[in-house]
Amino acid sequence: MKKIIIANWKMNPASAKEAENILNGIKKTAVKLKKTQAVICPPFIYFENSRKIIGETANLFLGAQNSFWQNEGAFTGETSPEMIKNSGGSYVILGHSERRALGETDEMVARKTSFCLKMGLKTVVCVGEKVRDEQGDYLVFLRDELRASLNKIQKKFLKNLIIAYEPIWAIGKKDADAMPPSDIHGTAIYIKKILSEIYGRENASSAPILYGGSAGKENAGEIIKNGGVDGLLVGHQSLNPEIFSEMLISAENI
Ligand code: 13P
């Protein structure tokens, strides 16, 4: 399986010109990738231009940061999976903790997940605990969040499911503040176990697990190598093309 390194630009950058410069910088490295897929998730307003820049680059893909659970209708401000696909997107991030903090519920994430998978998008469902407590309550939280966010998926669409584990307490900090790879490894195994409980071992074992939360050039290689994950979901450091390119190279060299 190729490593998957996703750039979640969140609500950045401020101008189309900056977005273009960042993506052009990343593309210089992405054209050389063989064992790694880079996915850029810009704000929708930069989608069309990003699609043009990406062009036919083999291992560089376009993704959305959100999607609605229907394809058309009176849903002001929403964007549908069909629109994402028609605009060159092949990935979508759903249930990011920042969207959940704005009021998105497990039920909404579940509806979006099931519909985006049905529409054939590679669907990245984010889960992660707010705090990692000594008693292990976070494990129960993670299990419940996974079950509730995935409860509407039909088994036949599972092949496009990707899970991003993003502990909320580790987001938006420095490389040294990321979760230690050994802890990531333990959690990745736990997530696989929950997926097997829901869908059966053979169906769930193929879902890639990504880590997100202060991933940067200092820790990218180590997290992928020793964290038992298939890639990374990168926030603020993906806006720096030099840093993000180094992360792609680290993944490629594993
Ligand atoms: P940072 O890489 O900025 O910690 O963000 C992680 C994240 O939320 C990616 O979706």
Side-chain angles (χ1 to χ4, degrees), residues 98-133:
E98 288 150 13
R99 293 205 56 80
R100 291 179 188 265
L102 289 171
E104 195 160 300
T105 62
D106 287 341
E107 167 72 18
M108 290 159 83
V109 177
R111 288 178 81 174
K112 292 175 177 198
T113 301
S114 123
F115 194 60
C116 285
L117 283 171
K118 204 164 159 187
M119 288 298 297
L121 285 170
K122 292 203 182 287
T123 302
V124 182
V125 178
C126 303
V127 292
E129 76 279 0
K130 282 200 185 76
V131 282
R132 188 159 265 238
D133 58 300

Side-chain angles (χ1 to χ4, degrees), residues 83-182:
M83 292 172 187
I84 294 168
K85 284 175 66 177
N86 288 339
S87 301
S90 48
Y91 281 75
V92 63
I93 299 170
L94 296 176
H96 192 283
S97 56
E98 288 150 13
R99 293 205 56 80
R100 291 179 188 265
L102 289 171
E104 195 160 300
T105 62
D106 287 341
E107 167 72 18
M108 290 159 83
V109 177
R111 288 178 81 174
K112 292 175 177 198
T113 301
S114 123
F115 194 60
C116 285
L117 283 171
K118 204 164 159 187
M119 288 298 297
L121 285 170
K122 292 203 182 287
T123 302
V124 182
V125 178
C126 303
V127 292
E129 76 279 0
K130 282 200 185 76
V131 282
R132 188 159 265 238
D133 58 300
E134 301 268 306
Q135 304 87 316
D137 286 351
Y138 69 93
L139 292 171
V140 178
F141 174 86
L142 264 181
R143 183 199 63 198
D144 292 348
E145 193 177 42
L146 274 164
R147 283 190 183 155
S149 304
L150 305 178
N151 75 3
K152 293 188 169 33
I153 306 176
Q154 289 173 263
K155 263 190 194 164
K156 63 178 173 189
F157 298 126
L158 271 175
K159 66 173 193 328
N160 279 332
L161 177 69
I162 298 167
I163 302 295
Y165 171 58
E166 297 207 309
I168 298 172
W169 51 268
I171 292 178
K173 299 183 176 164
K174 298 206 175 72
D175 293 21
D177 301 313
M179 193 176 200
S182 55

Side-chain angles (χ1 to χ4, degrees), residues 8 10 96-98 166 170-173 212-215 233-237:
N8 176 10
K10 308 190 177 181
H96 192 283
S97 56
E98 288 150 13
E166 297 207 309
I171 292 178
K173 299 183 176 164
S214 302
L233 180 52
V234 188
H236 67 286
Q237 309 227 49

